[in-house]
Amino acid sequence: YAGKRRNAGVAVYRPSDDQHSPDRLSLMGELRQAVERDELTLYYQPKVDLTTGRVSYVEALVRWIHPVRGMVPPDQFIPFAEQTGYIKVLSRWVIDKALAQCAAWRAAGIELDVSINVSARDLINADLPHTFAVLLDKHRVQPEWIWVEITESALMDDPVHAMQTLDALYAMGLRLSIDDFGTGYSSLAHLKKMSVHEIKIDKSFVIGMTEDSDDETIVRSTIALGHNLGLRVAAEGVETQLVLDRLRTLDCDLAQGYFLSRPLAPDGLKAWLDTWHADWASPPQRVFSA
Ligand code: C2E
Ligand code: MG
Ligand code: MG
Ligand code: MG
């Protein structure tokens, strides 16, 4: 395939590389069968509390392991799923799987919270709170163990219905986080009205913040804004020690990024956590040089 790339030994297929290929159509057809053929899987990426060094929670990130195409990243099929309405089935699968994993970890004495990404289409779907309620009950998972990540742009598509869904999720006791903060157009008036627990600064501002003073200004101001509104502030896209140290200096609450860990399959995450916790006293020294 023209659109196939090598990434750490795994072929990564990017249909956007061949825009005019009939592959885009067939991909949509195949996506419908991905759930029943058991081709989807969840990876988990830890997020670290910058004060204690503890792993606060892990974010579930969906992967499609296509038998022929290889690993298809979510930004290559989530948009299809949204366009075709298949996102409803996909999201239910993701929530079911992530809650089952959370319950399994808890049963094994691993007290991890799990965050789940939901899309714009999910947010205007009045069934979403019910889906969560049914699956929380099925897996005997406490709502406060589960974080729901919503992007700013998803909120702005249909703010009235999105807000109703968010209020219902909040009332159930789920934790809410605004993902990719700073890239959408959410007005501060909306932010003020919304019941959320956390904002996650988009990685586009974080990755180069130690080299670009505008990025650093944006990150610093967002942290202040979040704290002034009583929210936790997380940063995604932490790729270097330097950025991690700067975020700590700026009083950011949580960090997530390749410097700490890439998204991992559950086995890999377990191994990563074992190492992390093994030198429990030293992780702040080990990863935080400041
Ligand atoms: P997101 O929720 O903002 O997730 C963060 C993305 O940044 C992930 O890409 C993650 O692998 C990547 N990332 C993490 N740390 C770093 C870093 O240090 N540097 C860089 N450059 N990237 C980093 P991924 O897994 O490809 O997911 C892309 C997007 O797809 C997600 O963005 C989310 O919007 C969406 N997505 C993923 N899983 C799901 C899902 O289960 N449901 C829905 N609706 N959307 C999902
Ligand atoms: Mg996310
Ligand atoms: Mg994000
Ligand atoms: Mg993002």
Side-chain angles (χ1 to χ4, degrees):
Y1 286 108
K4 236 175 191 182
R5 285 185 191 146
R6 289 275 146 196
N7 182 358
V10 184
V12 175
Y13 178 76
R14 298 183 182 279
S16 55
D17 291 356
D18 41 54
Q19 288 279 349
H20 306 290
S21 153
D23 264 1
R24 285 173 79 85
L25 272 177
S26 89
L27 197 67
M28 276 201 255
E30 291 172 55
L31 183 57
R32 292 179 190 284
Q33 296 162 342
V35 166
E36 48 200 81
R37 291 185 180 167
D38 209 23
E39 293 170 0
L40 297 180
T41 188
L42 293 182
Y43 276 25
Y44 297 89
Q45 187 180 31
K47 188 191 291 187
V48 170
D49 183 314
L50 289 175
T51 311
T52 62
R54 262 172 206 283
V55 176
S56 172
Y57 67 64
V58 294
E59 177 175 7
L61 294 159
V62 72
R63 300 288 181 260
W64 179 9
I65 315 290
H66 189 283
V68 179
R69 301 170 198 265
M71 190 185 294
V72 189
D75 49 10
Q76 299 291 330
F77 63 89
I78 297 283
F80 285 138
E82 289 216 294
Q83 285 160 26
T84 59
Y86 187 68
I87 191 75
K88 196 171 159 177
V89 174
L90 192 143
S91 294
R92 193 182 196 284
W93 181 89
V94 168
I95 298 166
D96 189 37
K97 193 84 175 171
L99 296 188
Q101 184 62 69
C102 182
W105 279 323
R106 297 261 165 180
I110 303 167
E111 301 212 336
L112 280 180
D113 292 358
V114 175
S115 77
I116 297 171
N117 292 284
V118 302
S119 75
R121 272 294 274 275
D122 293 319
L123 270 194
I124 54 170
N125 169 4
D127 292 347
L128 188 70
H130 178 69
T131 301
F132 266 105
V134 168
L135 295 174
L136 285 166
D137 191 54
K138 172 182 170 190
H139 296 293
R140 298 176 184 279
V141 164
Q142 300 293 319
E144 61 270 18
W145 300 342
I146 302 303
W147 291 75
V148 181
E149 299 196 8
I150 315 109
T151 63
E152 250 184 317
S153 44
L155 291 170
M156 290 309 111
D157 281 1
D158 181 352
V160 173
H161 287 107
M163 215 80 97
Q164 283 171 1
T165 306
L166 283 190
D167 286 346
L169 296 175
Y170 185 91
M172 287 167 59
L174 292 158
R175 309 289 164 188
L176 304 180
S177 176
I178 303 183
D179 206 350
D180 300 350
F181 191 81
T183 56
Y185 303 94
S186 80
S187 74
L188 298 176
H190 271 114
L191 186 61
K192 188 183 150 204
K193 268 189 290 180
M194 262 172 350
S195 305
V196 299
H197 302 87
E198 178 186 88
I199 53 181
K200 244 179 133 172
I201 307 173
D202 190 66
K203 57 177 177 283
S204 62
F205 306 114
V206 176
I207 288 175
M209 66 177 279
T210 50
E211 260 110 62
D212 182 322
S213 63
D214 289 342
D215 282 345
E216 185 184 307
T217 301
I218 290 169
V219 170
R220 191 185 328 109
S221 314
T222 308
I223 292 169
L225 172 71
H227 285 169
N228 288 334
L229 291 170
L231 306 175
R232 277 199 338 177
V233 182
E236 60 172 28
V238 178
E239 295 187 353
T240 65
Q241 176 84 63
L242 218 56
V243 166
L244 187 73
D245 292 343
R246 190 69 57 85
L247 288 169
R248 287 186 86 212
T249 312
L250 295 176
D251 223 15
C252 190
D253 302 295
L254 300 140
Q256 181 182 36
Y258 295 165
F259 180 69
L260 295 160
S261 172
R262 289 194 170 253
L264 300 166
D267 284 355
L269 181 77
K270 176 76 171 64
W272 184 90
L273 284 171
D274 285 346
T275 314
W276 186 266
H277 291 133
D279 33 28
W280 185 238
S282 55
Q285 281 72 26
R286 190 162 60 83
V287 290
F288 304 149
S289 64

